[in-house]
Amino acid sequence: MIAVDVSHNEGTVALVTPIIDPMTGNVVAEGIIPTLSWYDWAYFGYDSGLEKANVRRLGYTITYEALKDVDILIIGQLREELSPEEIDAIVKWFSEGGKVLWVAGDSDIKDGAYIQDNVNKLLSAIPNVRLRIDYATTTDTFSNAGKSVYVAGYVRVDLRTPDASILNQGYQSEVGKVLFHEPGVIAWTDENGKWHPLMAGEIPEGVYRIITTSGNGMIEDNYAPEPMAYRTWEKGLFTLLAVEFVELPNGAESLLIVSAESPYGSPVPIWINRYGSYLFDGQQFVTNLLRWVILQASKLTPAEEATAATTTTTTITIDTITESPKTTTPKVTPTTMHNATPLTTTTEDSRGIPLWGLGLAGILLLGAVILTFLVMRKQ
């Protein structure tokens, strides 16, 4: 089951209704849910369009009980912050292991910085999660849809990404392109809370870059606060979407996606295939990404298995310590005694000289006597 959240004013663009190209007024894509109809879709909040499309409503707010059957939770741009209770519910659900959480950010243009902060509050609440949305905007003077802030991101999957071929297939050209309309930028924090840019040479274990700018990307700062990991007007190749395999404190594992633009709700979501005269691979990429995360999630350790593994390990350790003195003696000592007994009881006399040795000496002595006799007789 895939659940999307619209209860925090994320919007419903691209979910069930066709997408209209704001540049031409033409329909450029059908909705995500009718296109990917083989998944079981559900949503949080209320929307008449989703109701008419018979999408299952899980509740007006996010709760742990409602999340129990959800495998993938997608949260668009949080124009309203999550309540502490909703964050706790998401953390509890995610900590069960084998779950996928996709959280979308935004640029810091207008109210975007507020959205970025709402995203980071959720990410920082999940134990061991490193990915963050930095308080900045990404532009690209080379790869864009007419303006540097309409970034045409490249699907450049890190080489070490597991099953990367799934993410790289079906695009119009060799490298997929996805529109990130006024995006933010992905960063990460270490165990001490220090922020780092998500760039080559500074990628933490378990994190993989999926979509980046061209080498002509640039960091801009529009509203407070200032960027935490990047420098204003810094140029380079910047991350627009990344995934993180998260190992929770209970030993379970879940998968996190953080993107600098949303797949739905945004006026120009990454799902689209056309923006004016510019062509993109949004639908193919989202389709590939969902297929990829489902495969990866099937390999992750749920909390129950992590707990069972811990219990088994503890039991084995205890058994080894307590049983070793009992099992070592019966298995090793009797075998040694059995092999030694014939040697000590049947092949040695009371003086400790082997009987076969005495016999051999007697034979040699007798032979010497006979040989001496024959020699003397010949003479």
Side-chain angles (χ1 to χ4, degrees), residues 316-335:
I316 290 173
T317 302
I318 293 173
D319 289 344
T320 302
I321 293 173
T322 56
E323 294 296 329
S324 178
K326 299 179 183 179
T327 56
T328 301
T329 301
K331 289 184 179 179
V332 179
T333 305
T335 303

Side-chain angles (χ1 to χ4, degrees), residues 44-64:
F44 290 98
Y46 179 82
D47 178 75
S48 58
L50 293 172
E51 290 294 308
K52 289 179 182 178
N54 296 316
V55 181
R56 186 190 314 182
R57 182 164 57 84
L58 298 177
Y60 289 102
T61 60
I62 299 174
T63 65
Y64 173 71

Side-chain angles (χ1 to χ4, degrees), residues 10-310:
E10 294 101 330
T12 60
V13 175
L15 285 178
V16 293
T17 56
I19 302 172
I20 308 298
D21 183 352
M23 303 291 288
T24 63
N26 297 325
V27 174
V28 293
E30 296 299 323
I32 297 173
I33 292 176
T35 301
L36 305 180
S37 58
W38 51 85
Y39 295 119
D40 183 12
W41 291 90
Y43 81 102
F44 290 98
Y46 179 82
D47 178 75
S48 58
L50 293 172
E51 290 294 308
K52 289 179 182 178
N54 296 316
V55 181
R56 186 190 314 182
R57 182 164 57 84
L58 298 177
Y60 289 102
T61 60
I62 299 174
T63 65
Y64 173 71
E65 289 299 320
L67 283 171
K68 277 189 173 180
D69 296 325
V70 174
D71 300 296
I72 301 174
L73 174 62
I74 307 176
I75 300 177
Q77 295 170 337
L78 288 165
R79 294 181 176 85
E80 297 175 4
E81 64 179 327
L82 295 160
S83 70
E85 293 77 17
E86 288 177 311
I87 292 177
D88 288 344
I90 294 170
V91 172
K92 183 177 180 181
W93 165 80
F94 192 74
S95 298
E96 291 179 346
K99 307 298 183 182
V100 178
L101 174 63
W102 183 349
V103 184
D106 199 1
S107 67
D108 72 339
I109 298 173
K110 296 181 180 179
D111 62 347
Y114 176 68
I115 294 173
Q116 293 171 336
D117 195 48
N118 290 339
V119 169
N120 289 330
K121 285 179 181 177
L122 171 59
L123 296 178
S124 62
I126 304 174
N128 299 338
V129 162
R130 300 195 172 199
L131 292 180
R132 300 287 189 273
I133 297 285
D134 204 355
Y135 298 95
T137 296
T138 303
T139 63
D140 195 321
T141 57
F142 174 76
S143 183
N144 59 61
K147 290 184 178 182
S148 62
V149 76
Y150 303 162
V151 180
Y154 291 104
V155 182
R156 281 202 185 103
V157 183
D158 277 339
L159 294 177
R160 57 197 178 91
T161 305
D163 303 304
S165 60
I166 296 175
L167 295 166
N168 289 323
Q169 65 184 17
Y171 301 126
Q172 299 176 62
S173 58
E174 186 176 351
V175 177
K177 274 192 172 184
V178 181
L179 179 59
F180 279 68
H181 190 272
E182 300 181 350
V185 62
I186 311 300
W188 65 281
T189 60
D190 60 27
E191 58 275 6
N192 298 316
K194 183 180 178 180
W195 288 63
H196 301 267
L198 190 59
M199 304 173 70
E202 291 199 56
I203 303 175
E205 184 177 356
V207 172
Y208 303 92
R209 298 173 300 169
I210 306 299
I211 297 182
T212 68
T213 67
S214 73
N216 283 43
M218 181 181 289
I219 300 297
E220 296 184 4
D221 181 28
N222 294 283
Y223 289 92
E226 294 182 354
M228 303 290 289
Y230 299 91
R231 300 186 307 274
T232 304
W233 312 123
E234 179 180 357
K235 294 182 179 181
L237 188 147
F238 302 112
T239 306
L240 301 173
L241 186 147
V243 298
E244 179 178 2
F245 289 82
V246 182
E247 183 173 341
L248 287 307
N250 60 1
E253 299 171 301
S254 284
L255 184 59
L256 173 69
I257 307 169
V258 179
S259 59
E261 177 57 273
S262 179
Y264 72 94
S266 168
V268 187
I270 66 177
W271 173 255
I272 69 170
N273 282 345
R274 178 186 288 273
Y275 189 76
S277 61
Y278 298 90
L279 300 178
F280 295 96
D281 298 291
Q283 292 183 48
Q284 186 64 55
F285 171 73
V286 173
T287 302
N288 290 351
L289 182 61
L290 290 177
R291 179 185 168 201
W292 182 82
V293 296
I294 290 171
L295 173 62
Q296 303 311 311
S298 69
K299 304 176 184 179
L300 300 179
T301 304
E304 295 81 1
E305 290 185 12
T307 303
T310 303

